[in-house]
Amino acid sequence: MAVSRQKITVLGSTGSIGVSTLDVISIHQDRYQVYALTANSRVSELQRQCEKFHPEIAVVGTAAAAAVLERNLRAKGIQTQVLYGRSSLMAAAASSQSDAVMCAIVGAAGLEPALAVIKAGKKLMLANKEALVMSGHLFIEAVHRYGATLLPIDSEHNAIFQCLPRAGRYSSHLQGVSKILLTASGGPFLHRPVEMLEHVTPEEAIAHPKWVMGRKISVDSATMMNKGLEVIEAHWLFGIPAGQIEVVIHPQSVIHSMVSYIDGSILAQMGNPDMRIPIAHALAYPDRISSGASPLDLTALGTLQFEEPDFNRFPGIRLAYEALEAGGSAPTILNAANEVAVQAFLDRRIGFRQIETLVERTMEKVAVVQGISDIGSILSEDHKARAVAEGFIA
Ligand code: NAD
Ligand code: MG
């Protein structure tokens, strides 16, 4: 008897998370089929994915890229419909044809597609943390209003989700929870003398000791702004006040985060640092499927270490707590300034330490707006902050 397979859309399929998602799907072609794949510019990678997964739809950034992809696919007898541009991306996200969508676009560009998934009331697997950080309560309110299912892909948040009491997930009544312990590897510069950090190059910054990831998140991990963004992400995902979210440095990256309960119990989720684990969890939830990741060998690992983060070395974490404290558009400003700063660093227009300086100065200069009730206003605050950050660079 033919069993109906779930149709999955992957937004940002050519990125690090997109590729890992297709890797998990490829092990379970009896359960899942690919409905749509989207990419910005890496057309030859997208073409290989279409040849393997035969999606119904593929979306790229430009008409020129679409023409190349369509010609190459037809030459191989593949009938995938090739579309391009923002409105096609939004349509692919919202399509009633798919059962679940992986949001793996990097940065603010992923916000509107993620909201389109939410408005369609779908299952949304969220890797794109910037979307949630910049829009906070509006994003979560939309999830509730449209009855969407939100599953976190960020390894820490996926771990927290697994360790929280099931009944309380996504509510502010997490019975018995005293604290979230958000673990951080500390990135490549955990113990490098602070005075040496200004000489860090983009190549060094994107060489993460534990995870292979896209360039933006790799730089965020090196500055530890990534952990700052994750504090904000955890606050919105689980309705937990900032004061109950604590960052713990754990260089081995096998505990992906913990939940501390009032009776003294601490629950941790462990595994090798491999994003296919949270991806498989979210794809199959509440079932379990194999992810392709190798199981963790505890005795080979031997030791687990923990230390306190140094907010002077890594001001990004402090700035994120300050943004949560300030509320309103402050996290939007933080995220926008950081995206501009990271890109400027990768383009060698500013130094490594100037990333944080630029974020801090932008946060000081742009006035925080409270009580925003629509996404258009979020986007205009985002643009305002980007312009100010660009002004500082110039
Ligand atoms: P990546 O740079 O490897 O991939 C980004 C993807 O987004 C690509 O497919 C690209 O084509 C697409 N994209 C970029 N700009 C776009 C635009 N303007 N319009 C449409 N598509 C666009 O990034 P990644 O490392 O896979 O990260 C993706 C997201 O997941 C980020 O938000 C990141 O913070 C988050 N995340 C990643 C990891 C990881 O291990 N890589 C872990 C946790 C969270
Ligand atoms: Mg993470």
Side-chain angles (χ1 to χ4, degrees):
M1 187 184 79
V3 183
S4 82
R5 297 184 294 168
Q6 278 186 46
K7 290 188 174 181
I8 311 293
T9 287
V10 184
L11 307 178
S13 67
T14 53
S16 161
I17 293 289
V19 167
S20 294
T21 304
L22 290 176
D23 214 29
V24 178
I25 289 175
S26 72
I27 312 175
H28 301 284
Q29 302 216 29
D30 54 327
R31 279 182 83 113
Y32 306 108
Q33 74 187 91
V34 176
Y35 172 68
L37 297 177
T38 84
N40 201 31
S41 55
R42 296 179 55 202
V43 177
S44 48
E45 173 70 22
L46 184 61
Q47 184 186 323
R48 275 191 293 280
Q49 294 178 342
C50 290
E51 288 168 17
K52 179 161 180 190
F53 293 97
H54 295 249
E56 285 170 46
I57 290 172
V59 184
V60 290
T62 63
V68 172
L69 180 61
E70 180 165 295
R71 189 175 60 238
N72 292 349
L73 289 178
R74 293 299 175 269
K76 301 204 172 200
I78 294 165
Q79 296 311 318
T80 298
Q81 187 185 4
V82 180
L83 304 168
Y84 66 90
R86 210 54 199 163
S87 57
S88 300
L89 173 61
M90 299 291 285
S95 169
S96 61
Q97 298 286 307
S98 73
D99 299 295
V101 182
M102 170 63 73
C103 291
I105 291 174
V106 60
L111 174 62
E112 289 170 294
L115 288 169
V117 177
I118 293 172
K119 285 185 183 158
K122 286 183 185 299
K123 168 167 155 178
L124 179 157
M125 300 174 277
L126 184 70
N128 179 207
K129 66 191 86 183
E130 296 91 346
L132 179 55
V133 167
M134 68 190 286
S135 64
H137 75 280
L138 290 180
F139 192 102
I140 296 299
E141 272 169 24
V143 168
H144 293 307
R145 183 170 341 123
Y146 295 99
T149 304
L150 175 59
L151 291 164
I153 294 299
D154 213 348
S155 56
E156 296 77 2
H157 305 76
N158 184 271
I160 295 162
F161 182 88
Q162 294 193 50
C163 296
L164 283 173
R166 184 173 278 228
R169 287 170 191 166
Y170 302 136
S171 81
S172 51
H173 305 290
L174 294 167
Q175 209 277 320
V177 171
S178 63
K179 242 196 263 181
I180 296 293
L181 300 169
L182 193 67
T183 53
S185 72
F189 309 127
L190 182 57
H191 295 121
R192 182 174 295 199
V194 175
E195 61 279 8
M196 301 293 284
L197 288 179
E198 60 187 289
H199 305 298
V200 163
T201 63
E203 291 73 19
E204 287 176 286
I206 60 182
H208 194 276
K210 291 290 169 195
W211 300 92
V212 179
M213 308 179 287
R215 280 153 41 102
K216 196 260 174 182
I217 185 175
S218 296
V219 175
D220 283 345
S221 300
T223 60
M224 287 199 72
M225 180 58 89
N226 182 52
K227 212 46 58 178
L229 298 175
E230 290 183 356
V231 168
I232 300 174
E233 185 185 10
H235 167 72
W236 291 119
L237 273 176
F238 306 118
I240 292 177
Q244 283 167 262
I245 305 171
E246 192 177 309
V247 176
V248 181
I249 305 276
H250 165 47
Q252 290 80 18
S253 291
V254 301
I255 292 184
H256 299 301
S257 278
M258 298 171 260
V259 175
S260 177
Y261 287 84
I262 50 176
D263 61 4
S265 300
I266 293 180
L267 301 193
Q269 185 263 355
M270 301 172 74
N272 274 318
D274 186 325
M275 289 307 292
R276 291 176 299 177
I277 298 175
I279 290 167
H281 172 267
L283 266 174
Y285 182 80
D287 292 350
R288 294 274 179 174
I289 55 171
S290 61
S291 66
S294 48
L296 182 61
D297 183 343
L298 284 171
T299 49
L301 185 69
T303 334
L304 297 181
Q305 294 165 303
F306 304 97
E307 52 185 279
E308 251 181 71
D310 175 353
F311 283 16
N312 294 319
R313 170 183 291 268
F314 298 115
I317 307 178
R318 170 178 58 80
L319 293 172
Y321 277 107
E322 285 172 11
L324 267 185
E325 170 96 357
S329 61
T332 318
I333 299 166
L334 169 103
N335 179 68
N338 183 57
E339 285 194 35
V340 169
V342 169
Q343 192 56 52
F345 168 69
L346 287 170
D347 296 341
R348 295 184 159 77
R349 295 163 66 211
I350 64 172
F352 183 72
R353 294 241 83 173
Q354 288 173 292
I355 298 174
E356 290 128 7
T357 314
L358 195 64
V359 174
E360 185 150 30
R361 289 181 66 190
T362 306
M363 287 174 70
E364 282 161 8
K365 176 139 184 202
V366 181
V368 172
V369 181
Q370 300 289 347
I372 291 180
S373 59
D374 65 288
I375 291 296
S377 305
I378 291 284
L379 292 173
S380 82
E381 294 310 308
D382 169 89
H383 295 321
K384 211 188 286 173
R386 280 170 199 268
V388 169
E390 285 290 356
F392 281 131
I393 297 171

